[in-house]
Amino acid sequence: MFPDSTPALQRSPRRLRPALWLSVVGAAAVTGLIAGLVFGRPAETVPFPYMHGALSAPATSAPGRAGPVLAEVVFRLIGSRGQQTFTLAQLQALPAVQYRATQPQLKRSFVYTGVPLRDLARLAGLSGQNLRVLADDQFGATIQAADYDRFPLMLAYLADGRPITAAQKGPLEVVFPNEQERTRFQNFGSQWVWFATALEAAP
Ligand SMILES: Nc1nc2c(c(=O)[nH]1)N[C@H]1C(S)=C(S)[C@@H](COP(=O)(O)O)O[C@H]1N2
Ligand SMILES: [Mo]
């Protein structure tokens, strides 16, 4: 399933990977194929367990469709193709992943839903480059390509199926699969960028 160049997965003992993580790998083969068609992804990349493929983005300017909150620009991709803006509705329309992770600052586990950073990097024209994720409070953190390429790091917009409140570090937050890959993603608290507003190439 995984290529030989998957040292972290081969190194980590099986007991560290819960049954859930193993079960999604099977589903990933199918959903990854769909995602590959959507994104033109090379066959050798690790498929992610998408919960849904691309939905048609609601026309945020259409009268009566999107409310003021959904129509607001909440995220920006700053890449080789200039700047792209996203409303919450547009983010929700992209292929999504979903998994349980423990918010390191709150020390509380949520089922998060969001857009893989790998897909956002691709949309920005930054595939394979380290990323800088910026926050509303001017905080920024560098996310390594080696992490987002192989693991479904996400820009989360739901926690336990609900919009992420400010108290829960929302509305948009970078999430790592730290319950499935405990060893790899321990001590990553500084990269859980909350109040995330933009993504660009790391300097
Ligand atoms: N938006 C934003 N996200 C952030 C930070 C920040 O200052 N602003 N600090 C980071 C760092 S360095 C750490 S250790 C944790 C701190 O979270 P806490 O202040 O809730 O403990 O959040 C990370 N994400
Ligand atoms: Mo920190």
Side-chain angles (χ1 to χ4, degrees):
M1 169 64 58
F2 291 94
D4 288 339
S5 57
T6 312
L9 282 173
Q10 287 173 351
R11 269 203 315 272
S12 48
R14 288 199 160 267
R15 62 187 162 75
L16 288 183
R17 284 179 277 139
L20 175 69
W21 195 242
L22 291 173
S23 68
V24 296
V25 168
V30 177
T31 51
L33 186 66
I34 295 164
L37 291 171
V38 171
F39 287 97
R41 179 168 299 145
E44 67 272 18
T45 49
V46 179
F48 290 158
Y50 287 88
M51 63 174 300
H52 68 67
L55 308 175
S56 57
T60 53
S61 55
R65 284 288 307 270
V69 173
L70 284 179
E72 186 188 333
V73 169
V74 292
F75 201 73
R76 291 180 156 78
L77 298 180
I78 304 153
S80 60
R81 295 164 198 167
Q83 181 171 287
Q84 294 167 257
T85 61
F86 290 83
T87 65
L88 196 52
Q90 287 170 324
L91 285 178
Q92 288 170 346
L94 295 171
V97 290
Q98 185 179 73
Y99 52 83
R100 184 171 280 285
T102 299
Q103 216 293 343
Q105 289 82 42
L106 303 175
K107 296 181 175 28
R108 191 181 145 193
S109 177
F110 298 91
V111 175
Y112 285 104
T113 307
V115 186
L117 291 189
R118 187 171 74 182
D119 294 345
L120 292 175
R122 183 178 291 265
L123 286 172
L126 299 173
S127 287
Q129 298 184 44
N130 295 341
L131 305 176
R132 190 87 184 154
V133 179
L134 308 169
D136 200 34
D137 59 352
Q138 312 309 315
F139 179 81
T142 297
I143 312 287
Q144 303 295 322
D147 291 326
Y148 77 69
D149 264 347
R150 197 165 296 285
F151 298 97
L153 317 191
M154 69 165 98
L155 181 70
Y157 50 75
L158 294 177
D160 291 342
R162 297 191 194 87
I164 311 174
T165 65
Q168 290 172 349
K169 312 286 192 184
L172 297 175
E173 177 179 16
V174 174
V175 166
F176 291 77
N178 62 1
E179 296 192 20
Q180 297 79 12
E181 298 291 335
R182 287 178 196 278
T183 312
R184 185 177 183 112
F185 295 127
Q186 66 184 345
N187 305 323
F188 267 58
S190 64
Q191 293 181 52
W192 280 64
V193 181
W194 23 273
F195 308 156
T197 53
L199 177 156
E200 62 183 21

